[in-house]
Amino acid sequence: MGVDVNTIFQIAGIGIIVAFLHTILDQMGKKEYAQWVTLLGFIYILFMVASIVNDLFQKIKAVFLFQG
């Protein structure tokens, strides 16, 4: 399948970086920027996961409809 360990580590790495930036910006008093960083990180991860789920559904469709 298309999901390997590198993808999982990439998602975890982005989450750690977003959490770090959120904490730094929050402590600097820039709560609005911290929220935007978190939102953008979440949207980026959401698109990555949507791509993975799309690949999964395409493979399931190919198995059950016998399409190569």
Side-chain angles (χ1 to χ4, degrees):
M1 188 130 105
V3 179
D4 55 354
V5 178
N6 289 333
T7 306
I8 295 170
F9 283 138
Q10 186 178 15
I11 290 172
I14 292 169
I16 290 170
I17 290 170
V18 166
F20 178 74
L21 288 173
H22 180 83
T23 303
I24 294 298
L25 289 170
D26 199 25
Q27 288 179 357
M28 289 174 54
K30 301 191 183 252
K31 293 184 187 284
E32 294 85 13
Y33 291 122
Q35 289 176 347
W36 279 108
V37 166
T38 304
L39 180 65
L40 291 175
F42 176 75
I43 291 171
Y44 182 74
I45 297 296
L46 189 64
F47 277 113
M48 286 180 64
V49 172
S51 170
I52 293 168
V53 170
N54 183 32
D55 291 342
L56 173 67
F57 283 141
Q58 292 300 324
K59 290 182 183 190
I60 291 172
K61 182 179 172 183
V63 167
F64 286 112
L65 296 178
F66 304 109
Q67 296 175 353

